Amino acid sequence: CEEEMRGICFSVLDATLHADQIHRGAGQIIPTARRVMFGAEMSAEPRLMEPVFLVEIQCTERALEAIETTLELRRGSIVEMKQRP
């Protein structure tokens, strides 16, 4: 899927590399590491997580109540509120 992962820690306990240095390049190691990490993720019973967004909303004072209601319906929260002159 090529999606970003958060809250995941991989502990490499042991690794055996090829004796010849030409076979230890990034082109050899990275694809193998990706497959290993993907396999570990799939065997660890992955869960779908709710996406988290950080947005900046600018509105008039009249629209503020409607925006707050919409955020509450979607389990949003207001981190900071500023009034501009």
Side-chain angles (χ1 to χ4, degrees), residues 29-83:
I29 295 173
I30 292 174
T32 303
R34 287 180 60 159
R35 284 193 304 270
V36 168
M37 290 176 188
F38 179 74
E41 180 188 0
M42 289 294 113
S43 67
E45 301 176 10
R47 298 180 302 264
L48 289 175
M49 304 296 284
E50 184 176 15
V52 177
F53 298 99
L54 177 64
V55 296
E56 180 178 327
I57 301 172
Q58 296 181 6
C59 67
T60 62
E61 198 169 320
R62 287 181 23 200
L64 187 58
E65 186 177 340
I67 291 172
E68 287 175 339
T69 304
T70 304
L71 285 173
E72 287 174 10
L73 288 173
R74 289 166 171 66
R75 298 187 338 174
S77 62
I78 297 174
V79 176
E80 183 181 6
M81 191 180 293
K82 293 182 184 177
Q83 287 188 346

Side-chain angles (χ1 to χ4, degrees), residues 8 11 14 16 22-23 28 40 44 51 62 71-72 75 77-78:
I8 294 179
S11 298
D14 186 25
T16 304
I22 198 163
H23 296 292
Q28 307 291 324
R62 287 181 23 200
L71 285 173
E72 287 174 10
R75 298 187 338 174
S77 62
I78 297 174

